[in-house]
Amino acid sequence: MSERRTLFGIELDPLTMDETVALCLDAVREGRQLEIGVVNAAKLVNMRRDPRLARAVAGCDLVVADGQAVVWAARLLRAPLPERVAGIDLFLRLLAEAESAGVSVYFLGARQDVLERMLRRVADRFPGLKVAGSRNGYFDDSEQAAIADAIADSGAQMLFLGMTSPKKEIFTAAYGEHTGARVVHGVGGSFDILAGVTKRAPVSWQRWGMEWLYRALQEPRRLGRRYLTTNAAFLLMTARELVRLTPSPASANRSH
């Protein structure tokens, strides 16, 4: 595997989508556990504010760039990443691979009605997929151990967490190993997209790093202010890091 890149004090793996999928399948075949962390601009901002979230992400075996803005910032800050590995695209690739390889999966997250709609759509799209079990994402911290036990009892080889940050990262850090799943992947709002509850941005919006705006336009009251503040904070973080990395004229002259 390529040497990790350090961005805002976080180590990221410079992997393509194909390389990430291959590592996941190797983990299943070899009986190793692989916890996947994905970061976008908002999460990197929140990791600065939430040490528990930062520790949970840093503890993952793989950390990949889920957001296009992260790829651009990494290039600008001389820690280049080959491409964006979007959490939902990785999720769909792994479902397809699991179906063809006979690998069993477990879905944890979303509201019960959303989860049921997603399961129906997944069954239509991947008819041969072995679903070991599922559970909605509404539970107290006191129930986490029992849920991890249920996942372990199901024998699921891949676990997908359709929950928000930092809940999914904290569950993974505390109970990921206990679930027995070989691949643990937090997919955020992907269950809602697969269920048809929310729409994903068109490819052209994704390419320009504007998925956040597409989401905000769907839910302006809930997401508009949040996205604007986190994006502004991310731009500021990037600018400060660029200033820190750029040698001043005085220090540049001293080096001659």
Side-chain angles (χ1 to χ4, degrees):
M1 237 169 52
S2 302
E3 191 177 329
R4 288 183 132 186
R5 308 281 191 262
T6 302
L7 189 67
F8 307 115
I10 305 299
E11 292 195 334
L12 279 80
D13 293 284
L15 298 169
T16 63
M17 177 66 75
D18 289 344
E19 288 168 342
T20 308
V21 171
L23 286 170
C24 291
L25 296 176
D26 287 347
V28 172
R29 275 193 295 268
E30 295 165 13
R32 289 182 291 104
Q33 188 172 61
L34 196 65
E35 293 179 2
I36 304 166
V38 296
V39 293
N40 56 20
K43 193 182 291 184
L44 284 168
V45 169
N46 290 332
M47 285 164 70
R48 283 272 171 107
R49 302 168 178 165
D50 185 345
R52 202 173 164 201
L53 173 61
R55 284 194 302 272
V57 173
C60 290
D61 302 295
L62 286 184
V63 182
V64 292
D66 177 44
Q68 189 60 44
V70 177
V71 176
W72 289 336
R75 197 174 299 154
L76 186 66
L77 299 173
R78 300 192 286 281
L81 301 166
E83 65 182 20
R84 178 189 183 205
V85 181
I88 186 168
D89 293 331
L90 178 59
F91 179 30
L92 291 170
R93 282 283 301 272
L94 291 176
L95 289 179
E97 295 287 353
E99 180 188 30
S100 62
V103 170
S104 59
V105 304
Y106 194 104
F107 300 106
L108 175 63
R111 296 195 318 264
Q112 186 63 31
D113 61 317
V114 172
L115 180 63
E116 288 169 6
R117 282 176 66 178
M118 186 203 73
L119 289 169
R120 287 194 293 272
R121 290 191 171 206
V122 165
D124 288 340
R125 191 165 175 177
F126 306 102
L129 183 68
K130 291 165 64 176
V131 179
S134 63
R135 193 206 187 282
N136 68 58
Y138 289 79
F139 52 84
D140 293 327
D141 287 353
S142 60
E143 297 175 82
Q144 288 186 113
I147 290 166
D149 284 339
I151 296 165
D153 291 344
S154 78
Q157 294 160 286
M158 289 186 180
L159 168 62
F160 299 104
L161 304 166
M163 301 185 293
T164 56
S165 293
K167 189 171 183 177
K168 66 178 181 291
E169 287 85 3
I170 288 167
F171 179 87
T172 299
Y175 293 100
E177 190 174 345
H178 188 74
T179 65
R182 297 307 176 200
V183 173
V184 181
H185 178 24
V187 299
S190 299
F191 288 11
D192 286 16
I193 293 171
L194 260 64
V197 174
T198 56
K199 284 185 181 175
R200 192 176 183 197
V203 173
S204 57
W205 289 59
Q206 294 175 42
R207 196 175 296 126
W208 288 101
M210 300 299 280
E211 268 185 299
W212 66 271
L213 180 58
Y214 193 86
R215 286 280 289 114
L217 290 171
Q218 287 185 72
E219 297 183 76
R221 292 182 70 178
R222 189 173 78 86
L223 298 176
R225 186 182 177 87
R226 186 200 307 176
Y227 278 136
L228 286 172
T229 53
T230 54
N231 284 354
F234 183 73
L235 285 171
L236 188 60
M237 270 171 59
T238 305
R240 282 177 174 159
E241 193 68 7
L242 188 59
V243 168
R244 192 181 70 79
L245 291 173
T246 305
S248 67
S251 61
N253 290 336
R254 277 199 301 272
S255 65
H256 288 297

